[in-house]
Amino acid sequence: VLRKMGAGYRATTMRRQELLSLEAIKKHDVVFLTCADLYAQDFLAALPLRKFVEQGGTLYASDLCGDLVLAAFPEFRAPTPMLPGVPQTIDASVVDQGLRAYLGKRSIPLSFDAPDWRPAAFDPSLATVCLTGVYRNNFGHAFSVPLLVRFRVGQGTVIFTSFHHTKNDSAIVQKLLDYLVFASVNARSEARVKDLMQRSRFAPQDLRPIALTTGK
């Protein structure tokens, strides 16, 4: 997705060891943690990642990396435990107004092909919920849970998605991924705009990205 979006979205692959160093992380504007199994030593990255976000960085994480995000930002943990889910397809409701306007959809299908995937186990009263859906957990119980959330910490932003990008290649989900990458890369600028508007006593409800071709 990043390569397709052009030079402004150039990305560097980081080694796991680099996540343990705030100085190494601070070289970047956004850190993307794609889904992967976590080991005990990986949780040592919780504090550096937290400081990175507090100082204005953006952290984007998906699925199994949600456990590391919760370790870094425990105050955002949902008050009720959310167990891992079984493989399933969910019709996710688009509840964020800006995202809904961009997608032109009120719901989108999401495929969860692997066992033990993680819902967005964050407190809806503290985070902005963008997608929700009814899922079945490992005990077969059905609950409505967030599937995509974002929240501010200090001067930075955290975005978490429950779904695997590579297993959701429909046009509408690809458009969602483009939106999320755009939102991640531009989160710092968006935060500046919101802060400026609030200081000037404006009340922004949502900011909507728009792509313009040179000359138009």
Side-chain angles (χ1 to χ4, degrees), residues 51-216:
K51 291 186 177 297
F52 166 72
V53 174
E54 289 176 339
Q55 295 174 17
T58 301
L59 175 63
Y60 178 108
S62 62
D63 197 5
L64 298 183
C65 284
D67 295 344
L68 177 54
V69 177
L70 287 169
F73 308 97
E75 69 272 30
F76 288 90
R77 184 184 295 271
T80 303
M82 298 181 190
L83 298 177
V86 297
Q88 60 196 282
T89 297
I90 297 175
D91 284 326
S93 298
V94 184
V95 295
D96 178 76
Q97 291 183 358
L99 179 58
R100 185 188 299 171
Y102 179 77
L103 296 177
K105 300 279 187 179
R106 290 183 173 272
S107 66
I108 59 174
L110 293 176
S111 175
F112 298 85
D113 69 313
D116 291 329
W117 62 271
R118 305 298 199 266
F122 299 90
D123 190 337
S125 68
L126 300 177
T128 298
V129 178
C130 302
L131 293 176
T132 64
V134 176
Y135 89 123
R136 287 177 290 108
N137 64 23
N138 282 345
F139 289 117
H141 301 148
F143 295 97
S144 178
V145 294
L147 299 172
L148 167 60
V149 301
R150 61 184 295 173
F151 53 89
R152 292 282 302 278
V153 181
Q155 300 175 25
T157 302
V158 177
I159 299 173
F160 175 78
T161 71
S162 290
F163 53 91
H164 283 185
H165 303 167
T166 56
K167 300 302 179 182
N168 290 276
D169 57 0
S170 68
I172 190 65
V173 174
Q174 190 63 45
K175 192 174 182 181
L176 168 61
L177 295 179
D178 291 346
Y179 177 93
L180 292 177
V181 169
F182 182 94
S184 300
V185 173
N186 293 282
R188 186 175 298 187
S189 297
E190 180 181 318
R192 284 201 206 101
V193 171
K194 285 187 175 181
D195 290 343
L196 176 60
M197 291 180 73
Q198 288 167 351
R199 287 200 302 273
S200 302
R201 298 187 179 181
F202 288 95
Q205 296 301 311
D206 60 76
L207 298 179
R208 304 181 185 185
I210 179 171
L212 299 177
T213 302
T214 303
K216 291 189 177 181

Side-chain angles (χ1 to χ4, degrees), residues 16 20 37-46 67-68 71:
R16 286 183 182 234
L20 307 184
D37 289 327
L38 294 174
Y39 303 94
Q41 63 269 26
D42 293 327
F43 287 90
L44 296 175
D67 295 344
L68 177 54

Side-chain angles (χ1 to χ4, degrees), residues 1-18:
V1 174
L2 288 166
R3 283 194 296 270
K4 185 195 69 176
M5 295 182 74
Y9 297 84
R10 286 191 305 271
T12 301
T13 301
M14 299 180 69
R15 294 178 292 108
R16 286 183 182 234
Q17 195 66 22
E18 291 180 89

